Amino acid sequence: CHDVKEALSILHQIPIGSAQTLTIADPSGSMIIVECNSEKVMEIKSIREQRPFVATANNFNSKDMQNYQRHD
């Protein structure tokens, strides 16, 4: 992919078989976290002026995706 926008477009079109947390960035400085599974793709955008970085771990942090979080 050439940029974040193109990567997001592809993610919304391909089948996703398992829960994923992805960090996507491009040379222009655009950054995004994507939380996704086979049912939903959730974009968590960085606001560059307030927070010029993105960070996540191997779990869902957004309220919309926490219902999908496994609690083993």
Side-chain angles (χ1 to χ4, degrees), residues 19 35-37 39-40 42 59-71:
E35 296 179 343
C36 55
N37 62 16
E39 297 179 31
K40 191 170 191 169
M42 178 61 121
N59 62 318
F60 292 144
N61 295 295
S62 66
K63 290 180 182 180
D64 288 343
M65 293 299 285
Q66 285 186 0
N67 289 334
Y68 299 105
Q69 188 72 34
R70 291 180 58 183
H71 299 285

Side-chain angles (χ1 to χ4, degrees), residues 6-61:
E6 183 181 359
L8 289 173
S9 175
I10 291 170
L11 274 176
H12 283 281
Q13 296 174 40
I14 62 173
I16 298 171
S18 63
Q20 304 288 324
T21 303
L22 306 170
T23 302
I24 302 171
D26 66 31
S28 75
S30 293
M31 300 172 277
I32 195 164
I33 299 287
V34 177
E35 296 179 343
C36 55
N37 62 16
S38 60
E39 297 179 31
K40 191 170 191 169
V41 175
M42 178 61 121
E43 303 169 17
I44 304 168
K45 295 180 169 81
S46 170
I47 302 169
R48 292 182 69 189
E49 294 81 30
Q50 296 174 356
R51 189 174 50 146
F53 61 90
V54 294
T56 192
N58 193 21
N59 62 318
F60 292 144
N61 295 295

